Amino acid sequence: MTAEKIAIFDTTLRDGEQSPGCSMFLNEKIELARQLENLGVNIIEAGFPIASDGDFEAVKAIAAECRNTTVAGLCRTTEADIVRAGQALKNAANPRIHTFIATSDIHLEFKLKKSRHEVLQMTRRAVSMAREYADEVEFSAEDATRSDLSYLCEVFAAAVDAGATVLNIPDTVGYTTPTEFAGLVTRVRETVVGDRDIVISVHCHNDLGLAVANSLAAIEAGARQVECTVNGIGERAGNAALEEIAMACVVRSDRFPFRTDIRTELLYPTSQLLSSMISFGPQPNKAIVGRNAFAHEAGIHQHGVLSNPLCYEIMTPESVGVPTNEIVLGKHSGRHALVARYEELGFRLDADAVAEIYSRFIALADRKKNIYDQDLIAIAGNTYPVAIAA
Ligand code: KIV
Ligand code: ZN
């Protein structure tokens, strides 16, 4: 029996980019989008077109660039937002409009200043207007996990009647727990979706450190799209980390008989590429892509790993693209070591590229004590922006 597919919806360029220290330039966004497409992401949320001209241009450019992946643009439920998202996605091969409105009483009273009835009407109008611009329309009920469940289901039902093809359940403030969230997903699946061809999606924030656990519980309860970001970047404590969800499905396929299209050997290069563009990388002990994720210092652990890596490693570094080469790069390093490291990172460099990149590398190594993979990616990115992950 083939495992059921989980669609990976990446929002690094939207929820991630809107968080502190994560702004990117247009050329960086396009480069990252290309990498995400290579990685096997199914849907790229490229931005929030009404938010700024920069976001509009990014969504438009990524829609023109990424022809195999679905490209989504976010909008609120107002006409102006939807029109702007529609314009940004006009030339997309596979466009998706993602419209959202909050459904919790606290958001209705203090933020939107709308009644439940008004929000219901706004949902209907927005989804049917969005369908004029795209066949795929995703509706999100912001703060779903703190919303009244019957009302939430009523809003979702209205969205489906108006033409939504994907219902997204955001845990906007990272408040829910795995069992509770699985119950919520089950209720939406049973009472709203039934046997209709509607995808249930989840979007979990990490305020209690539960974003990935909640997403996996939701998959078990019937969600078939997961929204996530590279390195788990995103508002406040971040979003569910893409690399953790992808590897949970691989390493624990006994518990999660699901597959994704992610090429796992590109996870680390993608993480490093993002880190080279924003102002911070993953913390050293970050699962899958952190500097210490495959490091062993304690004697007992070292002995175990040397006898058999399976003693203390549940996946190989190679399977997620982490270079195992112990050579330390510095200003005394030669071209061979540098080329070998680039190859491990997915770059194939010709002689001209090696010459140019090597001189940049030496210049940097003269100024900087430690050279990290993200420095190497940044050096190459300036010279050969599409060199990664052929
Ligand atoms: O966290 C959230 O609720 C969101 C929505 C716009 C999906 O980012
Ligand atoms: Zn979010």
Side-chain angles (χ1 to χ4, degrees):
M1 205 179 77
T2 50
E4 258 191 273
K5 178 169 150 176
I6 304 300
I8 297 293
F9 177 115
D10 181 277
T11 184
T12 307
L13 290 162
R14 199 279 298 169
D15 214 322
E17 211 259 346
Q18 78 190 41
S19 61
C22 295
S23 304
M24 288 173 238
F25 297 117
L26 178 62
N27 63 322
E28 294 174 326
K29 290 183 184 181
I30 296 171
E31 191 184 345
L32 186 65
R34 275 198 215 113
Q35 177 71 6
L36 293 172
E37 192 172 41
N38 268 333
L39 178 65
V41 159
N42 304 102
I43 304 106
I44 296 175
E45 185 161 61
F48 192 170
I50 196 117
S52 68
D53 289 344
D55 258 43
F56 179 85
E57 291 306 331
V59 175
K60 194 169 156 199
I62 290 167
E65 184 72 29
C66 297
R67 311 305 289 174
N68 299 318
T69 315
T70 296
V71 178
L74 184 69
C75 51
R76 291 166 297 192
T77 50
T78 62
E79 182 173 352
D81 275 47
I82 297 165
V83 170
R84 195 81 174 133
Q87 286 167 342
L89 292 167
K90 199 163 66 154
N91 297 320
N94 308 291
R96 177 183 295 186
I97 293 199
H98 178 192
T99 182
F100 75 100
I101 191 163
T103 49
S104 65
D105 287 337
I106 187 166
H107 278 238
L108 263 61
E109 184 180 347
F110 295 100
K111 189 184 81 175
L112 297 176
K113 304 195 189 321
K114 300 274 181 214
S115 68
R116 286 186 178 188
H117 180 69
E118 286 171 306
V119 165
L120 198 61
Q121 300 284 62
M122 289 164 80
T123 300
R124 273 202 198 95
R125 270 202 302 273
V127 172
S128 59
M129 187 183 298
R131 279 301 299 258
E132 292 169 21
Y133 294 91
D135 290 340
E136 277 188 33
V137 171
E138 171 169 335
F139 171 74
S140 285
E142 191 188 10
D143 207 16
T145 52
R146 294 191 302 168
S147 302
D148 175 78
L149 194 45
S150 308
Y151 176 62
L152 177 68
C153 289
E154 210 182 322
V155 175
F156 275 146
V160 171
D161 287 347
T165 54
V166 180
L167 294 180
N168 184 39
I169 312 177
D171 183 25
T172 303
V173 290
Y175 178 71
T176 197
T177 62
T179 312
E180 180 185 64
F181 199 43
L184 201 168
V185 171
T186 302
R187 173 85 174 258
V188 171
R189 181 167 53 74
E190 289 176 354
T191 64
V192 181
V193 173
D195 52 15
R196 287 184 287 190
D197 193 16
I198 305 288
V199 175
I200 297 180
S201 166
V202 289
H203 173 113
C204 295
H205 279 270
N206 207 29
D207 300 67
L208 289 173
L210 292 172
V212 170
N214 289 334
S215 303
L216 295 177
I219 291 174
E220 288 185 302
R224 291 295 173 265
Q225 174 180 289
V226 175
E227 304 199 352
C228 47
T229 57
V230 176
N231 294 349
I233 66 167
E235 287 283 2
R236 305 180 310 282
N239 288 61
L242 183 154
E243 58 278 3
E244 295 176 24
I245 289 169
M247 288 315 289
C249 291
V250 172
V251 175
R252 295 310 308 271
S253 56
D254 55 330
R255 297 291 310 183
F256 299 105
F258 304 102
R259 66 186 170 85
T260 70
D261 290 335
I262 296 299
R263 294 168 62 195
T264 62
E265 70 282 5
L266 295 183
L267 287 171
Y268 179 77
T270 307
S271 160
Q272 289 289 307
L273 180 66
L274 174 67
S275 304
S276 74
M277 293 172 173
I278 61 176
S279 59
F280 57 94
Q283 76 268 21
N285 61 334
K286 166 81 180 62
I288 320 291
V289 293
R291 187 167 9 107
N292 292 350
F294 296 92
H296 306 279
E297 189 171 331
I300 296 175
H301 286 220
Q302 288 175 337
H303 176 225
V305 167
L306 289 172
S307 309
N308 182 343
L310 288 177
C311 288
Y312 287 104
E313 284 177 358
I314 58 170
M315 65 195 102
T316 63
E318 294 84 359
S319 68
V320 295
V322 170
T324 47
N325 192 332
E326 290 306 314
I327 289 175
V328 175
L329 292 171
K331 62 180 174 183
H332 302 295
S333 303
R335 286 179 169 71
H336 282 109
L338 188 68
V339 169
R341 181 59 137 225
Y342 270 112
E343 275 173 8
E344 285 184 317
L345 289 170
F347 287 77
R348 266 176 286 285
L349 305 175
D350 61 22
D352 289 345
V354 173
E356 166 124 27
I357 288 175
Y358 185 71
S359 66
R360 285 174 190 238
F361 162 73
I362 291 296
L364 184 67
D366 252 342
R367 285 183 278 118
K368 205 166 173 271
K369 224 183 198 159
N370 298 312
I371 303 287
Y372 297 111
D373 291 339
Q374 65 201 58
D375 297 317
L376 300 182
I377 289 175
I379 291 172
N382 294 336
T383 320
Y384 290 93
V386 279
I388 201 164

